[in-house]
Amino acid sequence: MGFLKEFKEFAMRGSVVDLAVGVVIGGAFGKIVTSLVDDIIMPPIGYLTGGVDFSQIKYVLKAADEVAKKPEVSINLGNFINVVIQFLIVAFCIFLVIKALNSMKRKEEKAPEVAPAPQREEVLLTEIRDLLKNK
């Protein structure tokens, strides 16, 4: 029973739950970025490059053989380009979020700290020091 109890404590920690929420939101965010790249960013780039559809760029190693029902063997460079652009967008968004969090932390740290009032012993020691100085 100790193992199950330990696992339950581990699974219910705040950091594990936060990680699970982050993974779910990250998955949804990945779909948004994929759509952004495929549907919004790449069409204008393709238009500017003369109608090139990046997702169709590939290097064919072996053409498809319809008689033998063998599929085409190719290196899909266009898909790789799309994935690289998606990665750069995600990395930039994460950078912006971390930068915003760090700036909020700095503002919290800049709050002036009020010096604590001296304790009774410190006051007495200060008075004794001042008296000895005056003698």
Side-chain angles (χ1 to χ4, degrees):
M1 282 296 192
F3 179 77
L4 291 176
K5 183 178 179 183
E6 186 177 344
F7 178 74
K8 180 181 175 185
E9 288 176 12
F10 168 77
M12 298 315 271
R13 280 188 195 156
S15 58
V16 174
V17 175
D18 291 343
L19 178 63
V21 170
V23 168
V24 170
I25 291 175
F29 185 69
K31 290 179 182 179
I32 292 170
V33 171
T34 300
S35 176
L36 175 70
V37 171
D38 292 342
D39 301 330
I40 296 175
I41 294 176
M42 295 312 286
I45 291 175
Y47 177 74
L48 292 173
T49 59
V52 175
D53 182 8
F54 280 94
S55 65
Q56 300 301 318
I57 298 175
K58 60 184 170 182
Y59 178 73
V60 178
L61 298 174
K62 184 177 180 184
D65 187 4
E66 294 180 21
V67 175
K69 295 184 181 180
K70 298 209 177 196
E72 174 181 79
V73 178
S74 64
I75 298 173
N76 299 319
L77 296 173
N79 287 338
F80 179 73
I81 292 170
N82 284 347
V83 170
V84 168
I85 292 173
Q86 290 172 3
F87 169 77
L88 292 174
I89 291 170
V90 170
F92 183 70
C93 291
I94 291 172
F95 169 75
L96 292 177
V97 168
I98 291 174
K99 185 172 178 155
L101 289 174
N102 286 341
S103 69
M104 284 191 273
K105 284 182 182 178
R106 284 189 210 122
K107 289 178 184 176
E108 290 174 3
E109 291 173 1
K110 289 182 182 178
E113 293 184 16
V114 178
Q119 296 180 358
R120 184 170 182 238
E121 294 171 346
E122 291 177 7
V123 172
L124 288 174
L125 287 173
T126 304
E127 289 175 2
I128 292 171
R129 182 196 66 201
D130 293 342
L131 287 172
L132 289 174
K133 245 189 213 179
N134 292 335
K135 282 189 171 186

